[in-house]
Amino acid sequence: MAERAETAVGRWDWFDTTLVSFCVAALGIAVLAGLIQVSYGSYEMTLRQAWLSVFDPAVWTQPNVLATFFLGERATAALGLSTEYDLATATNIVWNIRLPRVFTAALVGLSLSISGTIFQAITRNELASPFILGVSSGAGFAVLVTLVLIPSFGFLLPLTAAVGGTAAFLLVYAIAWQGGTSPVRLVLAGVIVGTVLNSLQTALYFFATDLGTVQQAISWTTGSLTGADWAQFRIILPFVLLVVVPGTVLGARQLNVLLLGESTASALGMRVERMRFALSVIGIVAASAAVAVAGVVSFVGLVVPHVVRTVVGSDHKRLLVGCAFAGPALLVVADTGARLFLPVVTGSPTQLPVGVVTGIIGGPYFLYLMRRRQQLGEL
């Protein structure tokens, strides 16, 4: 009996008040930023009206209404639920126009932060992220090719993003391989591949004949949640629920083992290359799903794992949980600033791309990490 109790305690020894407090604080920040964002728009309403609309019982007490929003009309009808509902005007605007952007930002932030954590572990490089390693650029390039050259296949954006992200990561790994890889070579190879892909993205604009396509392409390359609706949310949701969350839950222990080094991991019975590939797939899917709905949002996958690591430690059972809360908080706050800064300060209806805001935050932090490292290694 005592042994069972000790085993149960061992399974949950990573779960403590520091982690809980951090997650609660991050959740509170995300909720507050989301409530601020839904309070402003072309349809004027008071803060009280907006916030009451978010928690309107007419939505929360009717499963068919929630299912219609989160699953879509077709899936809701397949469940035998009605897709018709009658909501107040303010509630309709908040739930159909403003809240989907907040929920989508939360899932994008979660996906990118989890992806960055995985890549930092499998490369044993604290400067790694889907953006730095070229995964985001590869996914973005594949999305742009689809939008500009074969727009009729736009419904396959998540798949093309995943293929592009995978191809870019494999190319980075091949360039960095010299009888093995090193953290510095992986970062440099990622920068090279990312730069080339960014140039190719710019070249694609010359093949676009429609101004609307060019504007849509620019929003992808800068990272934007403008116009995000429930359709975008429903694109990323299955990948988060079916791949990212289960994959990270099952892979947290393996990520800890990989940090010990290849020889130690092999001695413990791990098939290192197979496990590294499997975990890379999770990271690529997470980053590609985010790119498919929001474009190339930079630095989230780099900044969030480091911020969380300084608070909850480097155990991935704790780190991944913290990132699942901190990533959404960062991106919801950044998107709130991107959406409201220019309209509130200048009165202009123009919105900043969220990728601009995360770049402003992440660029200086990336330089700080480079300066902090004592040893970068041999090229």
Side-chain angles (χ1 to χ4, degrees), residues 37 68-72 85 92-108 157 216 220 224-238 292-294 335 339 351:
Q37 182 166 169
T68 302
F69 289 142
F70 288 95
L71 303 179
Y85 54 84
N92 235 328
I93 291 173
V94 167
W95 276 90
N96 277 302
I97 299 176
R98 299 180 184 178
L99 264 183
R101 177 168 177 166
V102 175
F103 285 129
T104 303
L107 291 187
V108 170
L157 284 184
Q216 187 178 10
W220 282 105
S224 176
L225 287 163
T226 302
D229 56 19
W230 288 115
Q232 277 70 43
F233 175 83
R234 290 191 287 267
I235 286 174
I236 191 174
L237 181 64
V293 299
D335 189 50
R339 179 172 175 260
Q351 300 179 21

Short mmCIF file of all heavy atoms in Angstrom, two decimals, residues 37 68-72 85 92-108 157 216 220 224-238 292-294 335 339 351:
data_model
loop_
_atom_site.label_atom_id
_atom_site.label_comp_id
_atom_site.label_asym_id
_atom_site.label_seq_id
_atom_site.Cartn_x
_atom_site.Cartn_y
_atom_site.Cartn_z
N GLN A 37 -10.31 42.98 -25.78
CA GLN A 37 -10.40 42.98 -27.24
C GLN A 37 -11.83 42.92 -27.74
O GLN A 37 -12.19 43.62 -28.71
CB GLN A 37 -9.61 41.80 -27.82
CG GLN A 37 -9.63 41.79 -29.34
CD GLN A 37 -8.62 40.85 -29.97
OE1 GLN A 37 -8.67 40.61 -31.16
NE2 GLN A 37 -7.68 40.34 -29.19
N THR A 68 -22.56 24.78 -32.53
CA THR A 68 -22.56 25.47 -33.82
C THR A 68 -21.33 26.35 -33.96
O THR A 68 -20.69 26.41 -35.03
CB THR A 68 -23.83 26.32 -33.98
OG1 THR A 68 -24.98 25.48 -33.88
CG2 THR A 68 -23.85 27.02 -35.33
N PHE A 69 -20.96 27.06 -32.89
CA PHE A 69 -19.78 27.92 -32.94
C PHE A 69 -18.49 27.09 -33.06
O PHE A 69 -17.67 27.32 -33.94
CB PHE A 69 -19.71 28.78 -31.68
CG PHE A 69 -20.75 29.87 -31.62
CD1 PHE A 69 -21.36 30.21 -30.42
CD2 PHE A 69 -21.13 30.56 -32.76
CE1 PHE A 69 -22.31 31.20 -30.35
CE2 PHE A 69 -22.08 31.56 -32.71
CZ PHE A 69 -22.67 31.88 -31.50
N PHE A 70 -18.31 26.14 -32.16
CA PHE A 70 -17.04 25.43 -32.06
C PHE A 70 -16.87 24.31 -33.08
O PHE A 70 -15.74 24.03 -33.50
CB PHE A 70 -16.87 24.87 -30.65
CG PHE A 70 -16.59 25.90 -29.60
CD1 PHE A 70 -17.61 26.43 -28.84
CD2 PHE A 70 -15.30 26.38 -29.39
CE1 PHE A 70 -17.37 27.40 -27.87
CE2 PHE A 70 -15.04 27.34 -28.44
CZ PHE A 70 -16.08 27.86 -27.67
N LEU A 71 -17.95 23.67 -33.47
CA LEU A 71 -17.86 22.52 -34.37
C LEU A 71 -18.34 22.82 -35.79
O LEU A 71 -17.98 22.10 -36.72
CB LEU A 71 -18.65 21.34 -33.80
CG LEU A 71 -18.24 20.86 -32.41
CD1 LEU A 71 -19.13 19.69 -31.97
CD2 LEU A 71 -16.78 20.46 -32.37
N GLY A 72 -19.18 23.83 -35.95
CA GLY A 72 -19.72 24.15 -37.26
C GLY A 72 -21.12 23.56 -37.43
O GLY A 72 -21.52 22.63 -36.73
N TYR A 85 -30.48 29.49 -33.82
CA TYR A 85 -30.50 30.10 -32.49
C TYR A 85 -30.86 31.57 -32.63
O TYR A 85 -30.70 32.16 -33.69
CB TYR A 85 -29.14 29.94 -31.80
CG TYR A 85 -27.97 30.44 -32.61
CD1 TYR A 85 -27.60 31.79 -32.60
CD2 TYR A 85 -27.23 29.57 -33.41
CE1 TYR A 85 -26.54 32.26 -33.35
CE2 TYR A 85 -26.16 30.02 -34.17
CZ TYR A 85 -25.82 31.36 -34.13
OH TYR A 85 -24.76 31.82 -34.89
N ASN A 92 -24.58 38.40 -30.47
CA ASN A 92 -24.30 37.90 -31.81
C ASN A 92 -22.99 38.47 -32.34
O ASN A 92 -22.17 37.74 -32.93
CB ASN A 92 -25.44 38.29 -32.75
CG ASN A 92 -26.04 37.10 -33.46
OD1 ASN A 92 -25.35 36.15 -33.75
ND2 ASN A 92 -27.33 37.16 -33.72
N ILE A 93 -22.76 39.75 -32.16
CA ILE A 93 -21.55 40.39 -32.66
C ILE A 93 -20.32 39.87 -31.92
O ILE A 93 -19.29 39.55 -32.52
CB ILE A 93 -21.66 41.92 -32.53
CG1 ILE A 93 -22.70 42.45 -33.52
CG2 ILE A 93 -20.31 42.59 -32.74
CD1 ILE A 93 -23.02 43.90 -33.36
N VAL A 94 -20.42 39.78 -30.60
CA VAL A 94 -19.28 39.30 -29.81
C VAL A 94 -18.92 37.86 -30.17
O VAL A 94 -17.75 37.54 -30.39
CB VAL A 94 -19.58 39.43 -28.30
CG1 VAL A 94 -18.56 38.66 -27.47
CG2 VAL A 94 -19.57 40.89 -27.89
N TRP A 95 -19.92 37.00 -30.27
CA TRP A 95 -19.65 35.58 -30.48
C TRP A 95 -19.37 35.21 -31.93
O TRP A 95 -18.63 34.26 -32.20
CB TRP A 95 -20.82 34.74 -29.95
CG TRP A 95 -20.71 34.51 -28.49
CD1 TRP A 95 -21.21 35.28 -27.47
CD2 TRP A 95 -20.01 33.42 -27.84
NE1 TRP A 95 -20.86 34.75 -26.25
CE2 TRP A 95 -20.13 33.61 -26.45
CE3 TRP A 95 -19.31 32.33 -28.31
CZ2 TRP A 95 -19.57 32.73 -25.53
CZ3 TRP A 95 -18.74 31.45 -27.40
CH2 TRP A 95 -18.88 31.65 -26.02
N ASN A 96 -19.91 35.95 -32.87
CA ASN A 96 -19.70 35.59 -34.27
C ASN A 96 -18.55 36.35 -34.92
O ASN A 96 -18.01 35.89 -35.94
CB ASN A 96 -20.98 35.85 -35.07
CG ASN A 96 -21.97 34.70 -34.97
OD1 ASN A 96 -21.65 33.57 -35.32
ND2 ASN A 96 -23.16 34.98 -34.48
N ILE A 97 -18.16 37.50 -34.35
CA ILE A 97 -17.14 38.33 -34.99
C ILE A 97 -15.90 38.49 -34.13
O ILE A 97 -14.77 38.34 -34.62
CB ILE A 97 -17.72 39.71 -35.36
CG1 ILE A 97 -18.89 39.56 -36.34
CG2 ILE A 97 -16.64 40.61 -35.94
CD1 ILE A 97 -19.59 40.85 -36.68
N ARG A 98 -16.06 38.77 -32.85
CA ARG A 98 -14.91 39.15 -32.03
C ARG A 98 -14.27 37.99 -31.28
O ARG A 98 -13.05 37.87 -31.25
CB ARG A 98 -15.34 40.25 -31.06
CG ARG A 98 -15.83 41.51 -31.76
CD ARG A 98 -16.26 42.59 -30.78
NE ARG A 98 -16.83 43.75 -31.47
CZ ARG A 98 -17.33 44.82 -30.87
NH1 ARG A 98 -17.34 44.89 -29.54
NH2 ARG A 98 -17.83 45.82 -31.58
N LEU A 99 -15.08 37.15 -30.67
CA LEU A 99 -14.51 36.05 -29.87
C LEU A 99 -13.75 35.01 -30.69
O LEU A 99 -12.74 34.47 -30.20
CB LEU A 99 -15.62 35.37 -29.07
CG LEU A 99 -15.80 35.82 -27.62
CD1 LEU A 99 -16.88 35.00 -26.94
CD2 LEU A 99 -14.50 35.71 -26.84
N PRO A 100 -14.18 34.67 -31.92
CA PRO A 100 -13.41 33.68 -32.68
C PRO A 100 -11.95 34.06 -32.84
O PRO A 100 -11.07 33.20 -32.81
CB PRO A 100 -14.13 33.64 -34.04
CG PRO A 100 -15.50 34.11 -33.75
CD PRO A 100 -15.39 35.11 -32.64
N ARG A 101 -11.67 35.35 -33.00
CA ARG A 101 -10.29 35.79 -33.13
C ARG A 101 -9.51 35.54 -31.85
O ARG A 101 -8.34 35.14 -31.90
CB ARG A 101 -10.27 37.28 -33.49
CG ARG A 101 -8.88 37.88 -33.60
CD ARG A 101 -8.93 39.24 -34.24
NE ARG A 101 -7.63 39.88 -34.28
CZ ARG A 101 -7.33 40.93 -35.00
NH1 ARG A 101 -8.26 41.49 -35.77
NH2 ARG A 101 -6.12 41.47 -35.00
N VAL A 102 -10.13 35.75 -30.70
CA VAL A 102 -9.46 35.52 -29.43
C VAL A 102 -9.16 34.04 -29.24
O VAL A 102 -8.04 33.66 -28.86
CB VAL A 102 -10.33 36.04 -28.27
CG1 VAL A 102 -9.69 35.70 -26.92
CG2 VAL A 102 -10.54 37.55 -28.38
N PHE A 103 -10.15 33.19 -29.51
CA PHE A 103 -9.95 31.75 -29.36
C PHE A 103 -8.89 31.23 -30.34
O PHE A 103 -8.08 30.36 -29.99
CB PHE A 103 -11.27 31.00 -29.57
CG PHE A 103 -12.22 31.11 -28.42
CD1 PHE A 103 -13.53 31.49 -28.62
CD2 PHE A 103 -11.81 30.83 -27.13
CE1 PHE A 103 -14.41 31.59 -27.56
CE2 PHE A 103 -12.68 30.93 -26.06
CZ PHE A 103 -13.99 31.31 -26.27
N THR A 104 -8.91 31.74 -31.56
CA THR A 104 -7.91 31.32 -32.55
C THR A 104 -6.51 31.74 -32.11
O THR A 104 -5.55 30.97 -32.23
CB THR A 104 -8.24 31.91 -33.93
OG1 THR A 104 -9.55 31.52 -34.32
CG2 THR A 104 -7.24 31.43 -34.97
N ALA A 105 -6.39 32.97 -31.61
CA ALA A 105 -5.09 33.44 -31.11
C ALA A 105 -4.58 32.55 -29.99
O ALA A 105 -3.38 32.24 -29.92
CB ALA A 105 -5.21 34.88 -30.63
N ALA A 106 -5.47 32.11 -29.11
CA ALA A 106 -5.07 31.25 -28.00
C ALA A 106 -4.52 29.92 -28.51
O ALA A 106 -3.46 29.45 -28.04
CB ALA A 106 -6.25 31.01 -27.07
N LEU A 107 -5.17 29.32 -29.49
CA LEU A 107 -4.69 28.04 -30.01
C LEU A 107 -3.40 28.21 -30.80
O LEU A 107 -2.52 27.34 -30.75
CB LEU A 107 -5.77 27.40 -30.90
CG LEU A 107 -7.03 26.89 -30.18
CD1 LEU A 107 -7.92 26.13 -31.15
CD2 LEU A 107 -6.66 26.00 -29.00
N VAL A 108 -3.27 29.31 -31.53
CA VAL A 108 -2.02 29.57 -32.25
C VAL A 108 -0.87 29.74 -31.26
O VAL A 108 0.23 29.20 -31.45
CB VAL A 108 -2.16 30.82 -33.15
CG1 VAL A 108 -0.81 31.24 -33.71
CG2 VAL A 108 -3.13 30.54 -34.29
N LEU A 157 -4.96 24.00 -47.10
CA LEU A 157 -3.91 24.79 -46.48
C LEU A 157 -3.24 24.10 -45.29
O LEU A 157 -2.00 24.12 -45.19
CB LEU A 157 -4.47 26.15 -46.04
CG LEU A 157 -4.71 27.18 -47.15
CD1 LEU A 157 -5.16 28.50 -46.54
CD2 LEU A 157 -3.46 27.38 -47.99
N GLN A 216 -3.66 39.24 -49.26
CA GLN A 216 -3.80 38.05 -48.44
C GLN A 216 -2.44 37.40 -48.22
O GLN A 216 -2.13 36.94 -47.12
CB GLN A 216 -4.76 37.05 -49.10
CG GLN A 216 -5.09 35.85 -48.23
CD GLN A 216 -6.08 34.90 -48.90
OE1 GLN A 216 -6.37 35.04 -50.09
NE2 GLN A 216 -6.58 33.94 -48.15
N TRP A 220 -0.16 36.71 -44.69
CA TRP A 220 0.41 35.43 -44.29
C TRP A 220 1.88 35.59 -43.90
O TRP A 220 2.33 35.00 -42.92
CB TRP A 220 0.29 34.42 -45.43
CG TRP A 220 -1.07 33.83 -45.57
CD1 TRP A 220 -2.00 34.13 -46.52
CD2 TRP A 220 -1.69 32.86 -44.73
NE1 TRP A 220 -3.15 33.40 -46.33
CE2 TRP A 220 -2.98 32.60 -45.23
CE3 TRP A 220 -1.26 32.16 -43.60
CZ2 TRP A 220 -3.85 31.70 -44.64
CZ3 TRP A 220 -2.14 31.25 -43.02
CH2 TRP A 220 -3.41 31.03 -43.53
N SER A 224 -0.92 37.38 -39.26
CA SER A 224 -2.06 38.24 -38.98
C SER A 224 -3.28 37.40 -38.60
O SER A 224 -3.50 36.32 -39.16
CB SER A 224 -2.39 39.11 -40.20
OG SER A 224 -3.57 39.87 -39.97
N LEU A 225 -4.05 37.90 -37.64
CA LEU A 225 -5.31 37.28 -37.25
C LEU A 225 -6.50 38.15 -37.64
O LEU A 225 -7.62 37.89 -37.21
CB LEU A 225 -5.32 37.03 -35.74
CG LEU A 225 -4.42 35.88 -35.28
CD1 LEU A 225 -4.17 35.95 -33.79
CD2 LEU A 225 -5.02 34.53 -35.66
N THR A 226 -6.25 39.17 -38.47
CA THR A 226 -7.33 40.02 -38.93
C THR A 226 -8.35 39.21 -39.72
O THR A 226 -7.99 38.49 -40.65
CB THR A 226 -6.78 41.15 -39.82
OG1 THR A 226 -5.82 41.91 -39.08
CG2 THR A 226 -7.90 42.08 -40.28
N GLY A 227 -9.58 39.32 -39.33
CA GLY A 227 -10.64 38.58 -40.02
C GLY A 227 -10.78 37.13 -39.60
O GLY A 227 -11.57 36.40 -40.19
N ALA A 228 -10.02 36.72 -38.59
CA ALA A 228 -10.13 35.33 -38.14
C ALA A 228 -11.54 35.06 -37.62
O ALA A 228 -12.10 35.85 -36.86
CB ALA A 228 -9.10 35.06 -37.03
N ASP A 229 -12.11 33.94 -38.06
CA ASP A 229 -13.46 33.60 -37.64
C ASP A 229 -13.49 32.15 -37.17
O ASP A 229 -12.46 31.51 -37.00
CB ASP A 229 -14.47 33.85 -38.77
CG ASP A 229 -14.10 33.11 -40.05
OD1 ASP A 229 -13.31 32.14 -39.98
OD2 ASP A 229 -14.60 33.49 -41.13
N TRP A 230 -14.71 31.62 -36.98
CA TRP A 230 -14.82 30.25 -36.48
C TRP A 230 -14.25 29.24 -37.47
O TRP A 230 -13.83 28.15 -37.06
CB TRP A 230 -16.28 29.93 -36.17
CG TRP A 230 -16.81 30.61 -34.95
CD1 TRP A 230 -17.79 31.55 -34.88
CD2 TRP A 230 -16.37 30.41 -33.60
NE1 TRP A 230 -18.01 31.95 -33.59
CE2 TRP A 230 -17.14 31.27 -32.77
CE3 TRP A 230 -15.41 29.60 -33.00
CZ2 TRP A 230 -16.98 31.34 -31.39
CZ3 TRP A 230 -15.24 29.67 -31.62
CH2 TRP A 230 -16.02 30.52 -30.83
N ALA A 231 -14.23 29.56 -38.76
CA ALA A 231 -13.67 28.63 -39.74
C ALA A 231 -12.18 28.40 -39.47
O ALA A 231 -11.70 27.25 -39.51
CB ALA A 231 -13.88 29.16 -41.16
N GLN A 232 -11.44 29.47 -39.19
CA GLN A 232 -10.02 29.33 -38.86
C GLN A 232 -9.82 28.58 -37.54
O GLN A 232 -8.93 27.75 -37.41
CB GLN A 232 -9.36 30.71 -38.76
CG GLN A 232 -8.92 31.32 -40.08
CD GLN A 232 -10.11 31.74 -40.92
OE1 GLN A 232 -11.07 32.32 -40.41
NE2 GLN A 232 -10.07 31.43 -42.21
N PHE A 233 -10.68 28.86 -36.58
CA PHE A 233 -10.59 28.16 -35.30
C PHE A 233 -10.79 26.66 -35.50
O PHE A 233 -10.08 25.84 -34.92
CB PHE A 233 -11.65 28.71 -34.34
CG PHE A 233 -11.74 27.98 -33.04
CD1 PHE A 233 -10.87 28.28 -32.00
CD2 PHE A 233 -12.69 26.99 -32.85
CE1 PHE A 233 -10.95 27.60 -30.79
CE2 PHE A 233 -12.78 26.31 -31.65
CZ PHE A 233 -11.90 26.61 -30.62
N ARG A 234 -11.76 26.30 -36.34
CA ARG A 234 -12.05 24.88 -36.55
C ARG A 234 -10.99 24.19 -37.40
O ARG A 234 -10.91 22.95 -37.42
CB ARG A 234 -13.44 24.72 -37.19
CG ARG A 234 -14.58 25.08 -36.23
CD ARG A 234 -15.92 24.65 -36.79
NE ARG A 234 -16.36 25.50 -37.89
CZ ARG A 234 -17.14 26.56 -37.75
NH1 ARG A 234 -17.56 26.92 -36.54
NH2 ARG A 234 -17.51 27.28 -38.79
N ILE A 235 -10.15 24.96 -38.10
CA ILE A 235 -9.04 24.36 -38.83
C ILE A 235 -7.96 23.89 -37.87
O ILE A 235 -7.44 22.77 -37.97
CB ILE A 235 -8.44 25.36 -39.85
CG1 ILE A 235 -9.37 25.53 -41.04
CG2 ILE A 235 -7.07 24.89 -40.34
CD1 ILE A 235 -8.93 26.59 -42.02
N ILE A 236 -7.61 24.73 -36.90
CA ILE A 236 -6.49 24.41 -36.01
C ILE A 236 -6.92 23.52 -34.84
O ILE A 236 -6.10 22.76 -34.30
CB ILE A 236 -5.84 25.71 -35.49
CG1 ILE A 236 -4.53 25.40 -34.78
CG2 ILE A 236 -6.77 26.49 -34.60
CD1 ILE A 236 -3.75 26.63 -34.36
N LEU A 237 -8.19 23.57 -34.44
CA LEU A 237 -8.65 22.83 -33.26
C LEU A 237 -8.37 21.32 -33.34
O LEU A 237 -7.85 20.75 -32.37
CB LEU A 237 -10.14 23.08 -33.03
CG LEU A 237 -10.74 22.40 -31.80
CD1 LEU A 237 -10.11 22.93 -30.52
CD2 LEU A 237 -12.27 22.61 -31.75
N PRO A 238 -8.68 20.62 -34.45
CA PRO A 238 -8.41 19.18 -34.48
C PRO A 238 -6.94 18.84 -34.32
O PRO A 238 -6.60 17.83 -33.67
CB PRO A 238 -8.93 18.76 -35.86
CG PRO A 238 -9.87 19.82 -36.27
CD PRO A 238 -9.35 21.09 -35.67
N ALA A 292 -1.05 27.83 -40.83
CA ALA A 292 -2.18 27.67 -41.74
C ALA A 292 -3.31 28.65 -41.44
O ALA A 292 -4.06 29.02 -42.35
CB ALA A 292 -2.71 26.23 -41.67
N VAL A 293 -3.44 29.08 -40.18
CA VAL A 293 -4.55 30.00 -39.84
C VAL A 293 -4.09 31.42 -39.55
O VAL A 293 -4.88 32.35 -39.66
CB VAL A 293 -5.35 29.47 -38.63
CG1 VAL A 293 -5.96 28.13 -38.95
CG2 VAL A 293 -4.50 29.39 -37.38
N ALA A 294 -2.81 31.60 -39.18
CA ALA A 294 -2.36 32.93 -38.78
C ALA A 294 -1.15 33.43 -39.55
O ALA A 294 -0.73 34.57 -39.34
CB ALA A 294 -2.03 32.95 -37.28
N ASP A 335 -2.11 40.17 -29.85
CA ASP A 335 -3.13 40.44 -30.86
C ASP A 335 -4.07 41.56 -30.42
O ASP A 335 -4.55 42.33 -31.25
CB ASP A 335 -3.94 39.17 -31.13
CG ASP A 335 -4.87 39.33 -32.32
OD1 ASP A 335 -4.39 39.79 -33.39
OD2 ASP A 335 -6.07 39.02 -32.19
N ARG A 339 -4.52 44.81 -32.68
CA ARG A 339 -5.84 45.21 -33.17
C ARG A 339 -6.24 46.60 -32.70
O ARG A 339 -6.88 47.36 -33.44
CB ARG A 339 -6.88 44.20 -32.72
CG ARG A 339 -8.30 44.55 -33.16
CD ARG A 339 -9.26 43.43 -32.86
NE ARG A 339 -10.63 43.84 -33.19
CZ ARG A 339 -11.53 44.25 -32.30
NH1 ARG A 339 -11.20 44.28 -31.02
NH2 ARG A 339 -12.74 44.61 -32.66
N GLN A 351 -5.22 47.98 -38.69
CA GLN A 351 -4.74 47.10 -37.63
C GLN A 351 -3.34 46.60 -37.97
O GLN A 351 -3.02 46.34 -39.12
CB GLN A 351 -5.67 45.89 -37.46
CG GLN A 351 -7.09 46.26 -37.09
CD GLN A 351 -7.97 45.03 -36.95
OE1 GLN A 351 -7.50 43.91 -36.75
NE2 GLN A 351 -9.28 45.23 -37.06
#
